[in-house]
């Protein structure tokens, strides 16, 4: 059977800003064929052209983007060059990363109806398809609700239903879970799996979530330098993990564990399932290794002078139910603290109290023992730096250098000091090569770095970061965590909001768990990940290594604990 | 109208409505407040021309009026702010700095004139009553000069703005 | 500060169930008549009737209070200006150097009532009509679908952009930007980083929105669009239309032919 989608030597460059500039080839000779019914995952470093590839699959590239193309995209036997997007969209449905910009109607029902109205279907058939699509993604009970009120995972499922109702044989999803909390990610992957099982829809999904890809996809295509670097079954692509790691991608932790053990002990492990890995390890530690299990070294207890104190803090957005309820929390100078919990648990609301963006409805916030109630935000900015989740909410300057210098300049520092701090921050984040370019024109990963560098350059005693790694590839995540660890060693206090439990396990010593606006737990990370009941209540899933540790009966947290 | 232009126009209406309705700017020495709507309206007219400019300014400001409770003034606002957008876009779009300054002056005066005439006649304020509103409206459109500054700043930070709202075409490698 | 652009107040009243096109006719006809008639008694009657209309449509008292609270200062100012600057006719009383005349008082009241009644008309329409129905009514009356979509999308994104604006203002303040000092030009200049970031993010959003529209096949040629919940013009909508048009014609005729309601105090011109 001919493939439903095929790319032959496909190349693409976006329009240049001046007519004389050379085109920059985002995609440069991509060959790819997808058979009907396959689930193909696409991975690749940030900025490698994954989104461009998705857009090429329904003709938006090049019809709506302009630019220069070479080679062909064949969509169900049609060359994308010669057919308008509106026609190709009936074969290839496209779901984007950002729920906010792809849901543009007032009710869930209207959202799903929109595409069907475009197709000119009679109302009776529309009603039937809407019911069918919403049922498939598990949103049948939400027809009359406004998309605004839904959680991230629910929004994405509505976005999928809105495309699904048009009955395209192929569904392309561009990082649909990048901005979701763990529950949301699970919901979306479950919905996609249902589509495939029940309807046999061909799925192409761009994602960094290697654990889920390993579990659900048939095949993984890795893009690098504008080309297909690897194209292999999902069952084999992660073992050995060396190649993907070189490209800078995330690899399931079980594959890393197997690889590590194989290298150290000349074993032949190959783990794809948690149970299987735990079983094998129990067997192996008893037979081959005896009791020679490596035990984690206890962390030395350091006393930190209290820097920030939340004293029975409660907060309610006007007229609504409390978003935070009786929070007591002390963060010591020089600590590194992770704040975890599902969306809506109050994480962002909590950290906005640390620099006065929100003022407590009840209770106090103390900085170095003094109540900050009367201190303006701009003054607190000298002590508490805050990196917002979306870099585009921060970026406004004409060059990266100006952007990074803006914060120090607001602090009223002398010019020489501003220049020195700016250059230091640019160097630290590897941004010197981009110092004179427009930050708004950089790719998402670089924009994220600029937004963090812009706050780091203010050299505040405290650095608060709201989900700084969402949407980043493994290499960028590792680089960022190395910088944060380094800053922490130099004495900066770091408060990190994240959904990435593996990142918390690997890098952050103290973990605060929020649930429905209450502080559920506050303890060393190793301790937190050994409490299955606690994590179950918050629906947070410990990283695979910690789960194996639980089954083996000792507090493993990182790869090193199981493979010293 | 292509899809890009539909989205762009809608977004521009929303920007105007938000700046008119939710960003208070104190008027010096009076204790009163105005809004930076004209800044956004001039910016949009200079960046995207008379059609997007007129629709965004007129509809955006009228929606803000309705939302703020000034329901009876919304029709006049639609015409007054719409005239500013259309004229400023017509005179200043893709023009040099002089053209842009003329666009701001003519557009701003058009807004002031429409409010003045409308209030004096349709709403029956009479000349004196409408004249009482003049300083307020002049100050409001005076702020619009900063729309030129905003346009320069956005263009420096985001040169892609020049390509928005056009009709894309692609070429072969 | 925050506003709500979705003025629709859910309900089942007869006005909620009336076709939005009829309500649009009602708004246009009323505004025309409210400008045409300059009689204080007629406008008082209109004010009373409009409150009855809102009552029958189940408008919450808080909404009515909101309209009064916003517009009463404006209305009183207009009354005051009229009385101060246009003292025509016999003086009713004299305060210091100000002559207050009966006619000026009546004229001032007409202006004040006009502002209030027009607002009550417009909000009777907006409180009882959902945004999609609103847009659909424009499209059915001849607005091109693309412009209807523009309006619908704008209404949809205003709350989102309000949130974005707040976030951006917070993000810039967290970097030490001080925006609470100064007034006028100075204040706007200080806020420039916020405006620039706001506009760049919005333009990015517009690009993504365009992609999302295309992914739903928007812009397809061939068979026309259909609507899931189309507007239905029912029997009583025809009836209401007939009543509205007759009233409009009769009142206009009376005004133009006999000067009905053209005087501030007397219903008919003397003689």
């Amino acid at each position: 059977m001919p493939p439903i989608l095929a790319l032959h030597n496909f190349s693409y460059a976006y329009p240049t800003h001046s007519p004389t500039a050379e085109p920059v080839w985002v995609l440069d000779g991509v060959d790819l064929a997808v058979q009907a019914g396959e689930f193909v995952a696409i991975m690749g470093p940030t900025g490698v052209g994954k989104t461009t590839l998705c857009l090429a699959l329904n003709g938006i590239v090049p019809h709506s983007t302009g630019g220069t193309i070479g080679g062909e995209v064949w969509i169900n036997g049609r060359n994308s060059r010669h057919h308008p997007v509106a026609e190709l969209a009936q074969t290839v449905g496209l779901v984007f990363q950002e729920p906010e910009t792809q849901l543009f109607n007032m009710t869930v029902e209207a959202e799903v109806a929109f595409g069907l109205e475009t197709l000119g279907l009679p109302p009776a058939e529309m009603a039937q398809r809407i019911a069918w699509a919403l049922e498939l993604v598990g949103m049948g009970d939400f027809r009359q609700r406004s998309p605004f009120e839904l959680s991230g995972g629910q929004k994405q499922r509505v976005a999928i239903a809105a495309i699904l109702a048009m009955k395209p044989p192929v569904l392309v999803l561009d990082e649909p879970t990048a901005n979701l909390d763990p529950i949301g990610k699970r919901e979306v992957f479950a919905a996609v799996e249902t589509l495939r099982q029940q309807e046999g829809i061909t799925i192409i999904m761009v994602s960094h979530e290697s654990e889920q890809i390993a579990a659900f996809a048939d095949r993984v295509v890795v893009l690098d330098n504008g080309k297909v670097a690897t194209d292999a079954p999902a069952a084999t692509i992660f073992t050995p993990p060396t190649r993907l790691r070189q490209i800078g991608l995330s690899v399931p932790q079980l594959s890393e564990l197997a690889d590590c053990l194989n290298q150290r002990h000349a074993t032949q492990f190959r783990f794809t399932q948690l149970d299987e890995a735990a079983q094998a390890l129990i067997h192996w530690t008893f037979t081959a290794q005896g009791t020679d299990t490596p035990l984690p070294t206890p962390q030395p207890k350091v006393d930190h002078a209290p820097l920030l104190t939340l004293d029975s803090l409660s907060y309610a957005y006007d007229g609504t139910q409390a978003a935070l309820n009786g929070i007591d929390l002390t963060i010591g100078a020089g600590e590194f603290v992770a704040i975890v919990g599902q969306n809506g648990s109050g994480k962002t609301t909590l950290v906005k109290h640390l620099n006065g963006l929100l003022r407590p409805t009840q209770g106090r916030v103390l900085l170095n023992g003094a109540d900050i109630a009367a201190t303006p935000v701009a003054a607190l900015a000298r002590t508490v730096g805050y990196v917002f989740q979306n870099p585009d909410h921060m970026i406004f300057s004409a060059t990266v250098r100006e952007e990074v210098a803006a914060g120090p300049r607001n602090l009223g520092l002398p010019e020489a000091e501003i220049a020195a701090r700016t250059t230091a921050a640019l160097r630290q984040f590897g941004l010197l090569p981009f110092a004179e370019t427009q930050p708004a024109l950089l790719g998402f990963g670089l924009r994220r770095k600029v937004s963090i560098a812009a706050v780091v350059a203010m050299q505040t005693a405290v650095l608060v970061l709201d989900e700084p790694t969402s949407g980043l590839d493994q290499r960028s995540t590792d680089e960022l965590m190395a910088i944060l660890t380094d800053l922490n060693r130099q004495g900066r206090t770091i408060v990190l909001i994240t959904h990435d439990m593996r990142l918390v396990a690997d890098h952050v010593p103290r973990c605060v768990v929020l649930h429905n606006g209450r502080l559920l737990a506050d303890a060393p990370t190793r301790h937190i990940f050994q409490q299955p009941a606690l994590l179950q209540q918050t629906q947070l899933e410990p990283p695979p290594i910690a789960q194996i540790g639980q089954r083996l009966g000792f507090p493993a947290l990182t790869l090193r604990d199981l493979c010293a | 109208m292509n899809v890009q232009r539909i989205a762009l126009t809608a977004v521009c209406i929303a920007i105007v409505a938000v700046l008119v309705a939710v960003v208070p700017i104190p008027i010096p020495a009076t204790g009163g407040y105005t809004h930076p709507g004209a800044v956004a309206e001039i910016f949009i007219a200079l960046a995207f021309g008379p059609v997007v400019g007129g629709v965004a300014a007129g509809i955006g400001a009228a929606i803000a009026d309705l939302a703020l409770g000034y329901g009876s003034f919304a029709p006049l606002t639609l015409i007054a702010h719409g005239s500013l957008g259309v004229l400023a876009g017509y005179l200043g779009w893709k023009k040099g700095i002089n053209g842009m300054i003329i666009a701001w002056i003519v557009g701003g005066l058009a807004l002031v004139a429409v409010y003045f005439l409308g209030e004096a006649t349709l709403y029956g304020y009479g000349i004196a009553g409408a004249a009482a509103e003049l300083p307020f409206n002049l100050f409001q459109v005076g702020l619009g000069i900063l729309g030129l500054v905003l346009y320069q700043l956005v263009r420096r930070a985001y040169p892609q703005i020049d390509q928005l709202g056009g009709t894309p075409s692609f070429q072969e490698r | 500060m925050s506003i709500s652009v979705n003025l629709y107040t859910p309900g089942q009243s007869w006005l909620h169930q009336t076709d939005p096109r009829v309500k649009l006719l009602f708004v246009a006809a009323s505004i025309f008549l409210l400008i045409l008639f300059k009689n204080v008694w007629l406008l008082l009657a209109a004010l009373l009737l409009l409150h009855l209309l809102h009552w029958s449509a189940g408008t919450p008292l808080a909404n009515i209070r909101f309209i009064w609270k916003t517009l009463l200062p404006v209305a009183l100012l207009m009354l005051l200006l009229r009385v101060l600057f246009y003292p025509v006719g016999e003086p009713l009383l004299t305060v210091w150097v100000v002559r207050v005349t009966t006619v000026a008082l009546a004229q001032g009241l007409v202006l004040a009532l006009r502002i209030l009644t027009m607002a009550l008309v417009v909000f009777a329409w907006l409180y009882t009509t959902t945004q999609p129905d609103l847009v659909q009514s424009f499209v059915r009356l001849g607005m091109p679908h693309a412009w209807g979509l523009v309006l619908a999308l704008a209404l949809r994104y205003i709350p989102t952009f309000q949130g974005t604006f707040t976030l951006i203002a917070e993000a810039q303040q967290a970097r030490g930007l001080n925006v609470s000092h100064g007034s006028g030009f100075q204040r706007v200049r200080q806020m420039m980083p916020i405006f620039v970031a706001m506009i760049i993010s919005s333009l990015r959003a517009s690009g993504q929105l365009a992609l999302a529209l295309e992914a739903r096949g928007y812009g397809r040629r061939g068979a026309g669009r259909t609507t899931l919940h189309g507007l239905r013009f029912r029997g009583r909508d025809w009836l209401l239309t007939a009543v509205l048009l007759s009233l409009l014609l009769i009142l206009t005729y009376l005004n133009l032919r006999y000067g009905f309601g053209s005087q501030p105090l007397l219903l008919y011109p003397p003689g």
Side-chain angles (χ1 to χ4, degrees), chain C residues 245-260:
Chain C
L245 284 176
S246 331
L247 272 175
L248 179 67
L249 286 174
I250 293 169
L251 289 170
T252 309
Y253 178 77
L254 286 175
N255 178 279
L256 295 180
R257 181 74 180 78
Y258 301 105
F260 175 65

Side-chain angles (χ1 to χ4, degrees), chain A residues 411-433:
Chain A
L411 298 183
L413 298 169
E415 278 304 317
E417 177 69 16
I418 295 173
R421 286 187 179 193
T422 304
T423 309
L426 289 175
R427 182 172 299 120
Q428 198 165 17
F429 284 85
L431 290 168
L432 278 173

Side-chain angles (χ1 to χ4, degrees), chain B residues 20-34:
Chain B
V20 170
V22 298
V23 185
I25 302 291
I27 303 176
T30 58
Y33 283 90
T34 183

Side-chain angles (χ1 to χ4, degrees), chain A residues 55 58 60 64 85-86 89-90 94 96 98 100-106 109 111 113-123 126-127 130 148 162-163 166 352 355 357-358 377-378 381 384-386 388 392-396 403-404 406-407 410-411 440-441 447 454-455 458, chain C residues 2 6 131-132 136 145 149 152-153 155-157 159-160 163-180 192-198 200-201 204-206 208-221 223-230:
Chain A
L55 298 179
N58 80 344
I60 286 180
S64 302
V85 181
Q90 290 175 58
L94 197 46
F96 301 93
E98 196 56 63
E100 203 54 49
T101 42
Q102 56 183 327
L103 300 182
F104 46 82
N105 289 276
M106 291 293 175
E109 181 185 67
E111 200 63 68
F114 187 91
L116 307 178
E117 293 175 337
T118 313
L119 293 180
L121 296 180
M126 273 197 245
I130 292 168
F148 292 106
I163 293 297
M166 298 168 74
K352 278 188 176 174
N355 69 341
L357 284 173
L358 294 176
V377 178
V384 183
Y386 187 134
F388 274 63
D392 296 331
H393 291 158
M394 299 179 59
I395 285 170
F396 67 93
E403 188 70 54
V404 175
N410 284 336
L411 298 183
L441 298 190
R447 297 211 296 283
V455 175
M458 294 168 76
Chain C
S2 116
N6 192 359
Q131 288 185 2
Q136 217 192 117
H145 184 268
L149 183 60
L153 292 173
L155 291 169
R156 156 70 179 82
Y157 276 96
T160 306
T164 309
F165 184 84
T166 310
L167 274 176
I168 289 173
E170 287 180 350
Q172 302 301 341
Q173 287 177 69
R175 288 164 78 186
L177 184 76
N178 195 336
V179 291
S180 54
M192 267 317 167
I194 302 177
F195 294 156
V196 174
M198 163 96 185
I200 298 176
S201 313
R204 231 184 255 288
S206 114
Q208 290 173 358
L209 178 58
L211 297 184
L213 284 166
E214 290 200 86
R216 307 267 187 95
Y218 193 82
R220 178 177 155 274
R221 293 205 190 81
R225 282 184 69 89
T226 48
T227 322
L228 179 62
H229 298 298

Side-chain angles (χ1 to χ4, degrees), chain A residues 345-357:
Chain A
S345 61
K347 303 186 299 297
T348 301
T349 309
L350 187 143
V351 296
K352 278 188 176 174
H353 281 87
L354 301 181
N355 69 341
L357 284 173

